[in-house]
Amino acid sequence: MAYRRPVYAYLDLAWRRLYGGHGQSEIPDIINLDDIFSSWYDFRRLVISGLESGFVGPDYVEIIDLPKNFVAVRPIARLSVQDRLVYDALVFSIAHLIENQLHPSVFSARWGNQGKEFWSPVNSWVAMQKHGAQMMGKSPFQLARTDVVSFYEHIDISTLEIDLQSIGASPWITERLVRYLTMFQSSSHAWGIPQGPDASGILANIYLLPIDEYVHRAGMHYLRYSDDMMVFDTESESLRNVILEINSILRSRRLTMSSTKTAIYDHSDAFSQLEDLEKDAVNYGLDVGEEGAGERLFKIFTEAVTGTPKDRDIKFSLFRMGNLGDDRALPWVMGNLKGNHHLASQLLRYLEKFPAQIKGIESTFHSILQEVSGNRYDHLEQRIFQAATRQQIRSANLRDVAWGVLEDKNKTSLPREFAARYIGRVSSVADGQLLRRRFEDEPDANVRRALLVAMYESRSFSRRLLQSLATSSSQLSWVSRYLLKDPLVPLPR
């Protein structure tokens, strides 16, 4: 029992993090998990019961292909809330053991003050870049940089099990984690550890401990964020020797170094591999109200969208331009949303800063959704319906397109869920009746949940149905209990 109490305490931390939106933005929820929040203590008992039984692990995992650029994707594991909390709680409970093994050169998924540092991955990434720039400014270092091909997907579970034992994780936790990850691999076409959950970043750190230790013993200056590794030295031959040894260590752990991302840069080129120091100056200028800081920010944006788009600079500038109310990026954003669909979240958040342009935004949404119809732009469709719902855009044209997305069962569930939520918000009487019919024919549990919410918001639902589901063992019991309380359902984040 001594091993279990910490796990249950970290279950609460995992829930607060998930419900607060941390680590959830890649796979948003149509109602921000308010149904689980309203029954948290009952739900918590269910999760604990599963942990006690030892039969942990997902029966089914949906893999969402999240776009990295116009063509490439990253496979994100969509776990049920219960499966996600089990995984996070188990890993969080041993995070301090992993933290004790890490050198200061590691910036990813650090665990301090009950996970406070872990809650800001973007800040940690920026801190690593700044640290590298400072080192380059003090000495004429050259830089060797590399990372791992499909890192999370190629983590070997049997090797990870030995790693867990070596840091002193209890057999109770190790057994459950290994069982969980084994089931994860057998319940989907994914392998390794799930991409997306916060816990995976922590496990990734333990898996690369041999790399950290080797470079540390070699006396090299070294920085790492997940599998992105940077080694600094004045001699290129020394850096080459280190990279070759890192490659050997990776291979012994069933990993492959990325040949396309492995290179040695001289001192001048190394600076281009780190974040542009101009951004720090612009940030400072904006903070103190420096004259001309806004123009310098706009210059970063215009340079970022000239030629091959520079994603990080686009994100950096749009976020700040939106906060400043600078609408000069509006034409580019509305004209390039499809071509930069992997940046949909950032582009749409920028558009939301200009409610006076709502008619033009609505027209842009409609034309893009029509243009991508029949093609594989599930992520873009989901984000547009999410934004349209959040902005409370009432459009018959968007509603008609949403019906087409909802009824297309060849699509993944996320765009269909957000299409259903949008229809529920703008429905006619006839729409409400059709939603009921769609619910009866829908096999996907996540879409059925979205349809229940849509029926509720369209005022076309049966309390008898909700009461029946609320007392069942169905996955819909939690949302049914929630809707029976007659809530004002929150808009999606």
Side-chain angles (χ1 to χ4, degrees), residues 71-187:
V71 177
V73 298
R74 183 162 61 100
I76 300 296
R78 188 185 191 188
L79 303 166
S80 72
V81 178
Q82 180 176 351
D83 290 334
R84 170 65 180 267
L85 292 176
V86 165
Y87 182 48
D88 282 354
L90 286 169
V91 176
F92 287 2
S93 68
I94 59 170
H96 66 287
L97 298 175
I98 299 174
E99 175 65 26
N100 291 340
Q101 304 299 318
L102 298 178
H103 292 289
S105 55
V106 177
F107 283 76
S108 55
R110 298 305 298 250
W111 190 263
N113 193 18
Q114 288 195 316
K116 182 178 180 181
E117 293 175 49
F118 182 55
W119 287 38
S120 303
V122 173
N123 291 343
S124 299
W125 169 262
V126 171
M128 183 184 75
Q129 298 290 323
K130 288 182 177 179
H131 194 74
Q134 289 170 358
M135 286 197 298
M136 294 295 300
K138 293 177 180 178
S139 299
F141 285 133
Q142 297 183 58
L143 167 66
R145 192 165 196 174
T146 189
D147 70 7
V148 179
V149 175
S150 302
F151 175 37
Y152 282 19
E153 296 171 84
H154 289 98
I155 288 178
D156 178 66
I157 305 306
S158 60
T159 302
L160 182 63
E161 181 177 10
I162 297 172
D163 294 339
L164 292 170
Q165 294 169 354
S166 69
I167 64 168
S170 74
W172 192 89
I173 291 173
T174 300
E175 177 189 359
R176 281 157 175 75
L177 260 179
V178 170
R179 181 176 295 170
Y180 185 102
L181 293 171
T182 301
M183 286 190 66
F184 165 72
Q185 293 186 123
S186 63
S187 62

Side-chain angles (χ1 to χ4, degrees), residues 18-73:
L18 186 62
Y19 180 66
H22 301 281
Q24 191 189 328
S25 60
E26 291 179 322
I27 305 180
D29 186 70
I30 55 162
I31 60 173
N32 309 328
L33 301 179
D34 262 29
D35 51 345
I36 305 300
F37 175 78
S38 68
S39 299
W40 168 240
Y41 291 105
D42 289 336
F43 194 87
R44 185 180 190 274
R45 282 193 289 270
L46 178 68
V47 177
I48 289 176
S49 175
L51 283 165
E52 286 285 349
S53 71
F55 293 103
V56 296
D59 294 324
Y60 170 75
V61 178
E62 181 181 10
I63 301 299
I64 304 292
D65 285 333
L66 197 73
K68 295 173 64 176
N69 54 41
F70 188 73
V71 177
V73 298

Side-chain angles (χ1 to χ4, degrees), residues 90-367:
L90 286 169
V91 176
F92 287 2
S93 68
I94 59 170
H96 66 287
L97 298 175
I98 299 174
E99 175 65 26
N100 291 340
Q101 304 299 318
L102 298 178
H103 292 289
S105 55
V106 177
F107 283 76
S108 55
R110 298 305 298 250
W111 190 263
N113 193 18
Q114 288 195 316
K116 182 178 180 181
E117 293 175 49
F118 182 55
W119 287 38
S120 303
V122 173
N123 291 343
S124 299
W125 169 262
V126 171
M128 183 184 75
Q129 298 290 323
K130 288 182 177 179
H131 194 74
Q134 289 170 358
M135 286 197 298
M136 294 295 300
K138 293 177 180 178
S139 299
F141 285 133
Q142 297 183 58
L143 167 66
R145 192 165 196 174
T146 189
D147 70 7
V148 179
V149 175
S150 302
F151 175 37
Y152 282 19
E153 296 171 84
H154 289 98
I155 288 178
D156 178 66
I157 305 306
S158 60
T159 302
L160 182 63
E161 181 177 10
I162 297 172
D163 294 339
L164 292 170
Q165 294 169 354
S166 69
I167 64 168
S170 74
W172 192 89
I173 291 173
T174 300
E175 177 189 359
R176 281 157 175 75
L177 260 179
V178 170
R179 181 176 295 170
Y180 185 102
L181 293 171
T182 301
M183 286 190 66
F184 165 72
Q185 293 186 123
S186 63
S187 62
S188 69
H189 58 271
W191 57 94
I193 64 176
Q195 292 200 51
D198 304 326
S200 291
I202 298 174
L203 292 182
N205 273 342
I206 189 178
Y207 205 79
L208 291 181
L209 279 177
I211 301 290
D212 301 339
E213 185 63 20
Y214 161 70
V215 182
H216 175 71
R217 289 184 180 277
M220 296 284 191
H221 294 278
Y222 169 68
L223 299 173
R224 176 171 71 77
Y225 189 98
S226 190
D227 62 318
D228 185 358
M229 292 170 270
M230 295 187 287
V231 187
F232 303 83
D233 196 72
T234 56
E235 300 294 332
S236 60
E237 286 294 343
S238 298
L239 290 173
R240 179 177 177 272
N241 290 336
V242 167
I243 288 296
L244 291 174
E245 183 60 24
I246 288 175
N247 186 50
S248 296
I249 297 172
L250 289 173
R251 193 164 55 244
S252 72
R253 297 178 74 76
R254 310 295 188 266
L255 299 175
T256 303
M257 180 181 287
S258 172
S259 59
T260 60
K261 294 184 179 180
T262 301
I264 296 175
Y265 304 90
D266 63 25
H267 184 74
S268 58
D269 289 338
F271 270 111
S272 67
Q273 292 295 306
L274 301 167
E275 287 295 302
D276 191 344
L277 297 179
E278 170 67 8
K279 295 178 188 175
D280 287 339
V282 168
N283 261 337
Y284 178 77
L286 294 173
D287 288 342
V288 301
E290 176 186 298
E291 185 178 353
E295 291 304 315
R296 292 164 69 190
L297 177 64
F298 183 60
K299 181 182 178 184
I300 291 176
F301 170 75
T302 55
E303 291 176 351
V305 299
T306 301
T308 302
K310 302 177 181 66
D311 291 351
R312 287 179 187 161
D313 288 352
I314 292 173
K315 294 177 185 178
F316 173 87
S317 51
L318 280 185
F319 173 75
R320 289 157 181 81
M321 289 175 69
N323 288 340
L324 290 174
D326 186 341
D327 64 0
R328 287 179 289 179
L330 277 173
W332 184 88
V333 170
M334 289 196 283
N336 290 274
L337 192 51
K338 177 189 172 187
N340 293 273
H341 64 103
H342 59 294
L343 301 176
S345 179
Q346 291 81 13
L347 302 188
L348 293 169
R349 288 289 185 181
Y350 174 77
L351 294 180
E352 288 182 44
K353 297 292 185 178
F354 305 97
Q357 303 294 326
I358 198 68
K359 287 297 182 183
I361 293 171
E362 175 188 328
S363 177
T364 297
F365 286 177
H366 182 236
S367 63

